[in-house]
């Protein structure tokens, strides 16, 4: 019997895939869940039990938090990546790395097929298929939901017919959680004008008294908080636990999907939002004007390519090399105050702070030039403008 690996999350779509592959295609089904921060240990056990209830031959849970950080989150921080100046790619970036792990697992058990539960209307089908085709061109991709154009009720009816009768009642909001944030979709996000209600967000406001924190960066990477040094992954999780209680990092992203239509999605990303903004402030102090200027464009391009599943486009490695090199002096502490629904960046301390220059203090006094030097500089700086206007007036 031929083997197929299903990217399994325990939801309706992937459960349908398991039963369809068994009953209609007579395949030996192996399921894998790739955790990028969205599942607790208890939730992973529940998903595993459900997979075996479905009749899979084997199920495995893969935790790739460290890999995901090292291959993507690190560079998204370096590039201050916020798609359309809003969205920190909370869920879209992790799909690429989930797909990579699914491929590696499929190869390890000599599977002939890979299956996933994407529909034909979203971004994830593109991300998954592109990675599968690139890394495993000889493994065939099966997508029953997309190919059969199934409705939710048709999926439920099929599962019941085959003895699966979980409470598949559709939640009012679609929640996808990961270490870099949580997406929230609902009827409101299908409109152009409605906001998500407070209750739609998984993290509710629990704290109202402001809290001061200190974030430690080493060459662009978050390496500690409040003088407690730790791995970047652990520090992100600690910050999320604190900042999410203030309901920080909520917004609605409006953007262009990979398939060409406009889309809206709500999200909450407390840690990601604070880290990116704190990192950006530190860069303002330690990088040159032209380093910052060049990084803005490259960071935006990197985020767009990653969002669109183009992780293996060679230019991504080129951008990563630039971003890494730009972080040589991005070391220091950033002082932040967490407040209900927002936060304040109070300042930085860094041995590389360019405001500590001995040349002068902006708007106050200079120590490196005379008044005549300043007048001459301004006169020369304005020469091109004077020529243009004298010729074209």
């Amino acid at each position: 019997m031929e083997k197929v690996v299903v990217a399994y999350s325990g939801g309706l779509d992937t459960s349908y895939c398991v039963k369809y592959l068994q009953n209609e295609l007579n395949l030996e089904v192996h399921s894998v869940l790739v955790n990028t921060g969205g599942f607790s240990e208890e939730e992973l056990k529940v998903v595993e039990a459900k997979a075996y209830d479905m009749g899979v031959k084997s199920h495995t849970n893969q935790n790739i938090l460290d890999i995901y950080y090292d291959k993507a989150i690190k560079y998204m921080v370096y590039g201050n990546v916020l798609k359309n100046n809003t969205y920190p790619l909370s869920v879209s970036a992790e799909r690429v790395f989930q797909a990579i792990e699914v491929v590696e697992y499929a190869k390890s058990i000599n599977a002939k097929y890979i299956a996933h539960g994407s529909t034909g209307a979203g971004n994830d089908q593109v991300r998954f298929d592109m990675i599968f085709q690139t890394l495993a061109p000889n493994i065939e991709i099966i997508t029953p939901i997309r190919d059969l154009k199934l409705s939710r009720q048709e999926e439920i009816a099929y599962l019941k017919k085959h003895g699966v009768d979980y409470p598949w009642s559709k939640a009012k909001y679609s929640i996808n959680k990961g270490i870099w944030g949580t997406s929230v979709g609902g009827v409101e996000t299908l409109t152009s004008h409605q906001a998500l209600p407070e209750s739609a967000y998984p993290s509710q406001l629990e704290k109202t008294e402001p809290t001061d924190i200190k974030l430690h960066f080493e060459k662009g990477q978050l390496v500690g908080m409040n003088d407690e040094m730790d791995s970047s992954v652990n520090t992100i999780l600690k910050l999320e636990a604190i900042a999410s209680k203030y309901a920080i990092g909520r917004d609605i992203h409006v953007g262009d999907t990979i398939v060409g239509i406009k889309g809206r999605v709500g999200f909450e990303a407390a840690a990601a939002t604070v880290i990116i903004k704190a990192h950006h402030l530190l860069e303002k102090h330690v990088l040159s004007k032209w380093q910052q200027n060049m990084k803005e464009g490259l960071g935006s391009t990197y985020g767009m390519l990653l969002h669109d599943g183009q992780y293996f486009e060679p230019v991504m490695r080129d951008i990563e090399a630039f971003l890494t090199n730009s972080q040589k002096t991005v070391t220091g502490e950033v002082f932040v105050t967490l407040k209900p629904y927002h936060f304040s960046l109070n300042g930085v301390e860094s041995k590389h702070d360019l405001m500590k220059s001995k040349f002068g203090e902006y708007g106050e006094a200079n120590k490196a030039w005379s008044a005549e030097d300043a007048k001459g500089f301004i006169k020369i700086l304005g020469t091109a403008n004077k020529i243009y206007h004298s010729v074209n007036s």
Side-chain angles (χ1 to χ4, degrees), residues 7 18 33 46 145 177 276 284 319 322 344 349 367 385:
V18 171
L33 184 152
V46 170
I145 311 298
K177 185 178 181 181
I276 288 172
K284 291 177 184 178
I319 298 175
F322 174 89
S344 300
E349 282 188 356
K367 302 174 184 177
N385 280 336

Side-chain angles (χ1 to χ4, degrees), residues 324-343:
T324 300
N325 191 69
S326 75
Q327 300 300 293
K328 288 180 179 179
T329 61
V330 187
T331 295
E333 289 73 48
V334 183
F335 303 94
V336 184
T337 301
L338 305 178
K339 308 171 186 178
Y341 303 108
H342 70 295
F343 58 94

Side-chain angles (χ1 to χ4, degrees), residues 185-245:
V187 64
E188 294 87 357
T189 57
L190 298 178
T191 74
S192 295
H193 67 286
Q194 291 183 330
L196 287 166
E198 177 89 9
S199 60
Y201 294 95
S203 298
Q204 294 293 297
L205 180 65
E206 297 180 32
K207 297 189 68 173
T208 57
E209 289 298 315
T211 296
D212 292 327
I213 62 171
K214 177 168 62 173
L215 301 180
H216 303 266
F217 288 90
E218 181 71 32
K219 294 185 177 179
Q221 297 193 61
L222 182 66
V223 295
M225 181 172 66
N226 297 334
D227 297 319
E228 182 180 336
M229 300 301 125
D230 205 337
S231 70
S232 295
V233 167
N234 287 342
T235 306
I236 292 169
L237 294 173
K238 291 175 186 176
L239 176 57
E240 178 68 27
I242 296 173
S244 62
K245 288 181 171 57

Side-chain angles (χ1 to χ4, degrees), residues 300-317:
S300 176
T301 299
Y302 188 86
M304 291 179 69
L305 288 166
L306 190 55
H307 172 273
D308 289 1
Q310 296 282 357
Y311 179 72
F312 288 109
E313 161 58 47
V315 76
M316 295 291 276
R317 308 292 82 77

